[in-house]
Amino acid sequence: SQLLAEWSAKLQTLEGRIADAQEEISTMEPAAERVIKLRDLIKFLKKNREHYLATIWTQLLSYTNSFVSAATGGQITELRRARNGEFTFVENGDETPSELASGMQGAILGTAMKLSLGAALGGSRRLLLIDEATAGASDENSLLFTQIIKSFGGQTVMVTHRQSDASVADHVIEL
């Protein structure tokens, strides 16, 4: 009878452990299902990565190109990105590597890309911060650039050392 009581106690302990293990398994099943779904999502995203990147670049460059074309009076019509990640721009029908851009061309292309990224990230286009954007530009191009920025319509804070850039500003703070 004592042996029966010992075995009965061991059986109850085992049944308790089995119940605990079953409860633990039932709480793990949803997590395991989530892991499986996440792995499937990762596989899908890796498989479709190039497609999504191409779509993102197409949208970013579309916005960039509209700004660039407006900023240059249609002289620069397009910024392009090759599969290898190199950028070129089209000016008066000629495609040129972006590293050969003049200071002004680079400023316009860079500003346009920053505006595109800001818009893509859901940023407000009501505030534009520009630092030395006309530093390498001729006086004529500098004036064109500042007039385009002024027509932007939002609040613009621009750091410059050129008096001509300051001439189109509503407010000037000299340091």
Side-chain angles (χ1 to χ4, degrees), residues 50-66 78-83 87 113 116 120:
E50 291 300 319
H51 169 72
Y52 289 123
L53 285 175
T55 301
I56 289 168
W57 276 112
T58 298
Q59 291 172 351
L60 284 174
L61 291 176
S62 173
Y63 182 75
T64 301
N65 292 338
S66 67
E78 191 175 1
L79 178 65
R80 295 178 180 167
R81 181 179 180 273
R83 286 187 161 267
F87 286 94
M113 184 56 79
S116 312

Side-chain angles (χ1 to χ4, degrees), residues 126-131 149 154-160 173:
R126 291 179 280 166
L127 176 64
L128 182 60
L129 303 173
I130 303 173
D131 184 20
I149 294 303
Q155 181 72 36
T156 302
V157 176
M158 186 165 110
V159 176
T160 184
I173 300 171

Side-chain angles (χ1 to χ4, degrees), residues 24-35:
E24 191 173 330
I25 288 170
S26 69
T27 60
M28 287 182 183
E29 285 175 349
E33 289 173 13
R34 282 193 302 267
V35 167

